[in-house]
Amino acid sequence: MNLLEVAHLQKSFDDTVVLRDISFHVEQGSVVSIIGPSGSGKSTLLRCMTMLEAADSGSIQYGDMQMYVPLANGGCTYADRQTLKAIKQQFGLVFQNFNLFPHMNVMSNLIEAPVHVLGIKKAEAIEYARTLLAKVGLSDKETAYPCELSGGQQQRVAIARALAMKPNILFFYEPTSALDPELTGEILKVIRSLAEEDMTMVIVTHEMAFAHDVSDKVIFMDGGVIVEQGDPRDVMDHPKNERTKAFLSRITEN
């Protein structure tokens, strides 16, 4: 079953084409990693999938819900508000810079949206939040404030906060790029444990070894197009396209 389908997606900023005819799907329980050089369109694609940017044309479908409605001129526009609200509840997004509420402690960060957006009872939200904090190894930090946590701890709280909304798909945008190398392992361990629990994830990452080991599918982008996609053992170990080979060889050299 495909939880997400992207078809013929296009996006431009003024005269600069950023995404060109992007198509792929994400199956339930799979991990899809999106890799590629800076400026390849990875972040714009993620922003389009999470409604932070509007596509110019093409389609994005969550289950049986279409994010966009086609227009007569070949473009597209957002679907109705009710549909978009339902789609937003399908996914969670973990940013590279944590984006925790600084004036709230860890527990309040986790229960704010479930209580006020989903209408979950506070006691139930707290119980589930404690389960999530145990999952990410932070059971002793529920009364701490973000400023009292390390970067790795803040990112683990951000992951727990996203999971608190019980999404079907979890998106990660460079989840380790704001961390010192020694803290990166904390986050990768959590993501790996989620993969083992069959959490559906889409990860934009520069961690090549991690993408290779944890992913069911790797998408290599360059110049706003998908150059190659498939099993990481094919795309990363035996790339067919010269652009993919050149990118991976530069990463290996570094």
Side-chain angles (χ1 to χ4, degrees):
M1 174 182 175
N2 294 337
L3 293 187
L4 171 65
E5 294 189 35
V6 178
H8 307 298
L9 203 69
Q10 308 268 4
K11 176 65 180 179
S12 298
F13 294 104
D14 297 323
D15 295 328
T16 303
V17 180
V18 181
L19 299 177
R20 307 171 186 265
D21 197 24
I22 300 294
S23 297
F24 68 96
H25 66 271
V26 178
E27 297 179 2
Q28 184 174 5
S30 67
V31 179
V32 177
S33 291
I34 304 175
I35 63 173
S38 298
S40 61
K42 305 186 304 295
S43 61
T44 300
L45 173 58
L46 185 71
R47 291 174 66 83
C48 286
M49 292 188 291
T50 56
M51 299 188 203
L52 297 176
E53 293 283 357
D56 297 329
S57 63
S59 69
I60 296 177
Q61 183 171 331
Y62 283 86
D64 59 357
M65 295 180 291
Q66 283 283 357
M67 184 185 295
Y68 296 111
V69 175
L71 298 174
N73 64 2
C76 63
T77 188
Y78 278 127
D80 60 88
R81 291 180 64 182
Q82 184 176 356
T83 299
L84 295 182
K85 181 179 179 180
I87 288 175
K88 285 181 179 179
Q89 294 182 8
Q90 297 296 304
F91 64 82
L93 176 58
V94 178
F95 297 90
Q96 63 187 131
N97 292 319
F98 325 136
N99 286 6
L100 299 176
F101 298 120
H103 62 291
M104 294 182 178
N105 65 23
V106 167
M107 179 57 70
S108 296
N109 263 280
L110 264 63
I111 69 172
E112 176 73 10
V115 170
H116 294 100
V117 177
L118 299 182
I120 294 175
K121 292 182 180 180
K122 186 175 181 180
E124 181 182 343
I126 289 174
E127 182 180 358
Y128 187 53
R130 285 178 174 152
T131 300
L132 294 174
L133 287 176
K135 183 188 296 287
V136 299
L138 293 174
S139 294
D140 60 335
K141 298 295 184 181
E142 64 179 66
T143 61
Y145 284 81
C147 64
E148 300 173 318
L149 303 175
S150 69
Q153 290 171 332
Q154 290 186 60
Q155 189 63 298
R156 282 186 278 161
V157 172
I159 293 172
R161 182 176 64 176
L163 291 171
M165 295 293 284
K166 300 182 179 179
N168 288 329
I169 301 179
L170 194 55
F171 290 97
F172 291 88
Y173 177 60
E174 299 284 13
T176 62
S177 65
L179 303 176
D180 293 334
E182 61 185 17
L183 298 178
T184 295
E186 297 179 8
I187 306 307
L188 299 184
K189 181 179 178 181
V190 171
I191 297 175
R192 193 183 301 276
S193 69
L194 293 174
E196 292 171 352
E197 296 173 6
D198 292 327
M199 180 73 204
T200 308
M201 294 181 281
V202 177
I203 308 169
V204 173
T205 183
H206 62 279
E207 297 284 347
M208 295 298 107
F210 177 74
H212 181 283
D213 292 344
V214 78
S215 304
D216 299 291
K217 178 192 290 184
V218 168
I219 295 172
F220 171 65
M221 294 184 64
D222 191 21
V225 302
I226 293 178
V227 179
E228 289 192 57
Q229 62 175 309
D231 189 293
R233 291 168 293 185
D234 296 327
V235 175
M236 302 183 76
D237 295 342
H238 305 288
K240 298 178 178 63
N241 191 282
E242 291 302 321
R243 283 190 286 176
T244 315
K245 293 177 183 178
F247 171 75
L248 293 172
S249 65
R250 287 197 301 270
I251 294 296
T252 302
E253 290 171 1
N254 293 335

